[in-house]
Amino acid sequence: MPKRSTYRRRLGLSCALAGLLVLSACTPAVIPAGETLSIPVDSRVITQLGGNPTMAPELTFLGGVELSSSEPLFGAFSSIRFLDDQRFLGVFDTGYWIEGQIRRDAEGRLAGIEAVKLAPLLDASGRESPSKFHVDAESLAVDGDRAFVGFEQRHRVVSYSPLSDLGKAVPSEPLAFPFDLDVLRSNGGLESLVIAEKDGPLGGALVAISEKSFDGDGNIYAAILGGPLAGEFRVRPRDDFDITDATFLPNGDLLLLERRFTIARGVGMRLRRVDGDSIRPDALLDGEILFEANYRSQIDNMEGIDAIPEPDGSVRLIVVSDDNHSILQRTLMLEFRLSAPQS
């Protein structure tokens, strides 16, 4: 894998290939270990999803934004978690944190993001890793002033703290798993980390789900870390979609974000809801499809999702895409509303 310095040079080259006039304006910033960098982020509002997506009656598209920045480090979103109804924390698979807050228009629709800062993911010594191989962050869960981050290629889950001083957050030792992490594919590792409700059957455990690492029966590796039901389980794959993130809903159900990409079909996005009571050791999980869209809709390489509960019992779902720092892809933030379950 390329060194961070080589990676930055390649970003600069990508800017030149994109036809930008001033190469120096495309040189990625160097963020000293222990510090954060404030960056500008521009937005273009998306009002229509387009295409002909399959959407459950209880799901509504609210709008979204296409995001861009003059800072080349921006992009490659892998996961996003909301700290309240505005502030968010995320990770890039290039080894960076992102924090900021969403901005809404007068009608309450997404209008952009602001107060955005980046910081490198540090090692236990407080230094930045020189290699992307060690910091390919793919999943994120937040618990108070610490965050759990899942990495692929060098598979592991660690906790970082303190989040209150993000630039100085350092990792713990890797968490123990109920299966050998060597079974995970190098580019199909732990894409989802979610924390269950403390008063639910999982007792606040951390749930980890791989993207496309399969057992002998063709099912996806997953685990419950800690709590009264610790152990491993599986998720049934469907229709060549890969799991890229997940979030718990207020009623305890698990919502999976899934992605498909093939040369023949292009990009696809899907939401699948899993009964929360079915999450237990040795279970094989499946669920109903709430949403499915293809390239004709305003989607891209969708990789992160989180749920924001509303006072009326509904949930706002915010989904973000990984642009892979490619001029052919976009960083999107899309918002849906999931109605409260009918009693």
Side-chain angles (χ1 to χ4, degrees), residues 1-309:
M1 298 302 295
K3 296 289 188 181
R4 284 286 188 90
S5 57
T6 304
Y7 171 71
R8 291 191 178 99
R9 287 197 297 272
R10 289 180 180 175
L11 281 180
L13 180 59
S14 295
C15 289
L17 293 175
L20 297 178
L21 297 178
V22 184
L23 181 59
S24 61
C26 293
T27 303
V30 175
I31 309 173
E35 297 184 15
T36 61
L37 173 71
S38 295
I39 66 167
V41 178
D42 298 320
S43 60
R44 182 182 68 83
V45 172
I46 297 170
T47 58
Q48 300 292 326
L49 191 59
N52 189 29
T54 300
M55 193 176 310
E58 61 267 37
L59 194 67
T60 305
F61 177 66
L62 299 179
V65 287
E66 179 181 344
L67 303 171
S68 61
S69 176
S70 58
E71 171 49 58
L73 292 177
F74 178 77
F77 248 117
S78 285
S79 190
I80 187 169
R81 297 297 176 210
F82 277 82
L83 309 178
D84 53 37
D85 61 358
Q86 289 186 303
R87 297 182 303 125
F88 66 84
L89 179 69
V91 287
F92 294 166
D93 64 15
T94 49
Y96 291 90
W97 300 102
I98 177 172
E99 63 177 357
Q101 61 185 47
I102 57 174
R103 188 176 73 253
R104 296 188 180 276
D105 64 16
E107 285 73 42
R109 294 182 295 243
L110 282 178
I113 62 176
E114 58 191 10
V116 178
K117 295 180 180 180
L118 304 181
L121 287 155
L122 305 179
D123 63 19
S125 300
R127 295 190 295 264
E128 181 181 1
S129 172
S131 171
K132 183 182 183 299
F133 178 84
H134 297 285
V135 286
D136 188 350
E138 296 291 341
S139 49
L140 174 67
V142 175
D143 181 23
D145 199 35
R146 65 174 176 167
F148 296 96
V149 178
F151 297 88
E152 67 180 12
Q153 301 190 64
R154 184 186 171 194
H155 300 294
R156 67 200 188 280
V157 173
V158 299
S159 67
Y160 282 84
S161 63
L163 295 187
S164 54
D165 194 355
L166 189 62
K168 294 182 172 60
V170 293
S172 67
E173 290 295 315
L175 276 61
F177 267 72
F179 54 80
D180 190 339
L181 294 184
D182 288 341
V183 303
L184 300 179
R185 294 173 57 173
S186 62
N187 198 35
L190 300 166
E191 286 271 337
S192 305
L193 287 176
V194 278
I195 298 176
E197 289 292 327
K198 289 183 170 53
D199 57 356
L202 298 179
L206 184 67
V207 176
I209 306 173
S210 66
E211 176 187 6
K212 50 184 177 182
S213 294
F214 308 105
D215 66 11
D217 296 319
N219 297 312
I220 297 167
Y221 278 96
I224 305 166
L225 306 181
L229 296 176
E232 60 183 286
F233 64 94
R234 302 288 187 267
V235 180
R236 188 188 304 279
R238 294 178 62 178
D239 311 319
D240 298 322
F241 275 83
D242 301 322
I243 298 171
T244 57
D245 207 352
T247 185
F248 275 110
L249 300 174
N251 69 347
D253 287 349
L254 184 67
L255 192 64
L256 302 176
L257 172 64
E258 299 179 308
R259 169 198 58 205
R260 179 174 63 195
F261 178 78
T262 66
I263 298 299
R265 296 183 181 183
V267 68
M269 168 191 165
R270 187 166 70 183
L271 298 176
R272 183 164 41 140
R273 180 167 55 193
V274 175
D275 182 352
D277 291 336
S278 67
I279 305 172
R280 56 189 61 250
D282 302 320
L284 177 59
L285 306 187
D286 202 341
E288 63 173 323
I289 296 171
L290 297 183
F291 177 84
E292 187 170 327
N294 60 25
Y295 67 93
R296 294 183 179 90
S297 296
Q298 288 274 12
I299 65 166
D300 209 290
N301 177 33
M302 312 310 293
E303 287 225 5
I305 187 171
D306 203 17
I308 304 174

